[in-house]
Amino acid sequence: LIFIFSLLLGTTITISSNHWIMAWTGLEINTLAVLPLISKSHHPRAIEAATKYFLVQAAASTLVLFASMTNAWVTGQWDITQLTHPTSSLILTSALAMKLGLAPFHFWFPEVLQGSPLTTGLLLSTLMKFPPITLLFMTSSSLNPTLLTTLAILSAALGGWMGLNQTQIRKVLAFSSISHMGWMTIILVYNPKLSLLNFYLYVLMTTAVFLTFNSTKTLNLSTLITSWTKAPSLNAMLLLTLLSLAGLPPLTGFLPKWLIIQELTKQEMAPAAVIISLLSLLSLFFYLRLAYCTTITLPPHTTNHMKQWHTSKPIPALVAILTTLSITLLPLSPMIPASI
């Protein structure tokens, strides 16, 4: 409870601060609060994940501090929105990319997610990404568009390509997170609110997927194949949630992709829009594989598996609400361009 409270406190401090030192303090509180949650099981892999997470986040925090000090040294400003010095914005972009797990700083993320339990993995892929995203949002006017576009396309490519042959579900979700981060980053300079909208919808869908896997206790593809007997209705909905995460119409996940492609073509960046759309086909492949294992491999088939017992536990209301939202929000899209 204390750690989760500290997590919320750190996130709130970072989001609400105007001064770089306060933002940095919030990031540090966050990092230190999530470490015990990762290494809770005392398994060697969990300890290794916690160590990797600590080293990467410490390096990124140092870079954030360095960027803000360089900027203050040149401009005399500690205000977050006044990050005008090009070198500082370059260092800051790489630091926050490291915190978010954007390619080419993404190597720690799948490993850490694989070593931590599903609920902690959910925190790492949603709540822990919120403070760096808000910092990028606040400094978006002074960041370098070319660098961000390069990082975004790299992330979408690597996130899709490296997730193709994974059998561990947490790793697949980590690579999916990396490619989603790419979509958020590519639009950040041109329309920051759209970036945040994408983040919120991503959090909604990822939470639904993580909580579903948590309630069926599924960690890899072979257990996913037999998990349909535990909660058939939940697994049928998981199929749709995964396709929504892949960004297929008429599901919720299509909405941010559609708006981002539209905005990119308005900004005369059609080639980037085409490239990132084609790269999202890579991640569509592994979502389809997960979806296939979830529902389409029902018997009779040739491979023999132990059947799981049907669980009589009711599905948590939160899972039901999130799953419904992550499938049915697309009709809201006419309201969104007015608010952005």
Side-chain angles (χ1 to χ4, degrees):
L1 193 64
I2 293 172
F3 295 130
I4 288 171
F5 179 71
S6 309
L7 268 181
L8 294 172
L9 175 74
T11 308
T12 316
I13 288 175
T14 305
I15 293 166
S16 55
S17 59
N18 284 324
H19 196 286
W20 272 115
I21 298 289
M22 284 306 286
W24 174 79
T25 312
L27 289 172
E28 284 298 299
I29 293 173
N30 256 359
T31 304
L32 294 174
V34 88
L35 284 174
L37 296 176
I38 298 174
S39 56
K40 196 168 56 178
S41 65
H42 298 300
H43 188 275
R45 180 168 282 166
I47 306 293
E48 182 190 340
T51 313
K52 282 177 181 168
Y53 184 76
F54 173 71
L55 291 173
V56 170
Q57 297 296 320
S61 291
T62 314
L63 280 177
V64 168
L65 205 54
F66 182 55
S68 52
M69 282 168 66
T70 316
N71 188 60
W73 186 36
V74 175
T75 61
Q77 282 284 350
W78 280 99
D79 193 25
I80 291 184
T81 48
Q82 305 288 326
L83 190 83
T84 47
H85 194 242
T87 315
S88 313
S89 62
L90 198 73
I91 298 169
L92 181 83
T93 310
S94 51
L96 292 178
M98 206 184 281
K99 276 205 169 291
L100 288 169
L102 274 171
F105 308 106
H106 65 286
F107 294 103
W108 61 274
F109 190 55
E111 299 295 326
V112 170
L113 221 62
Q114 183 55 33
S116 48
L118 275 170
T119 40
T120 312
L122 170 61
L123 280 178
L124 285 175
S125 8
T126 54
L127 189 66
M128 298 304 291
K129 302 217 162 169
F130 193 37
I133 284 265
T134 47
L135 287 179
L136 279 174
F137 178 81
M138 287 193 272
T139 54
S140 60
S141 54
S142 52
L143 297 177
N144 183 344
T146 321
L147 175 68
L148 283 179
T149 310
T150 315
L151 287 179
I153 287 175
L154 256 179
S155 298
L158 285 168
W161 183 49
M162 293 174 77
L164 290 180
N165 57 354
Q166 299 295 337
T167 55
Q168 297 291 334
I169 281 170
R170 284 168 293 187
K171 278 200 172 171
V172 169
L173 288 171
F175 287 118
S176 109
S177 177
I178 292 167
S179 59
H180 273 275
M181 285 294 147
W183 278 89
M184 286 170 226
T185 318
I186 199 164
I187 200 67
L188 190 79
V189 178
Y190 306 106
N191 195 336
K193 283 185 180 173
L194 196 49
S195 232
L196 273 190
L197 171 80
N198 191 349
F199 180 69
Y200 295 144
L201 290 177
Y202 156 75
V203 166
L204 178 80
M205 296 181 289
T206 308
T207 311
V209 170
F210 263 107
L211 290 178
T212 306
F213 285 137
N214 193 39
S215 57
T216 55
K217 298 284 177 283
T218 311
L219 290 176
N220 53 21
L221 288 183
S222 54
T223 47
L224 182 61
I225 291 173
T226 58
S227 73
W228 65 273
T229 44
K230 282 186 180 176
S233 55
L234 188 60
N235 263 27
M237 293 300 272
L238 178 63
L239 165 84
L240 290 172
T241 316
L242 285 166
L243 294 180
S244 177
L245 205 52
L248 289 186
L251 305 164
T252 308
F254 178 58
L255 171 60
K257 285 190 165 53
W258 180 22
L259 291 171
I260 285 173
I261 290 170
Q262 192 181 335
E263 183 67 32
L264 284 175
T265 42
K266 273 185 200 165
Q267 300 286 347
E268 295 175 359
M269 287 182 61
V274 169
I275 292 169
I276 203 164
S277 310
L278 289 174
L279 289 173
S280 73
L281 292 177
L282 285 171
S283 41
L284 174 64
F285 176 81
F286 61 73
Y287 289 123
L288 277 176
R289 202 169 92 194
L290 278 180
Y292 178 78
C293 288
T294 317
T295 41
I296 308 171
T297 48
L298 299 185
H301 54 69
T302 49
T303 50
N304 289 321
H305 284 296
M306 284 286 288
K307 295 287 178 284
Q308 310 276 342
W309 281 100
H310 192 110
T311 50
S312 55
K313 281 192 303 185
I315 298 165
L318 181 65
V319 179
I321 294 166
L322 287 171
T323 308
T324 313
L325 285 177
S326 57
I327 293 170
T328 54
L329 278 186
L330 189 66
L332 285 182
S333 49
M335 294 160 60
I336 287 166
S339 63
I340 284 181

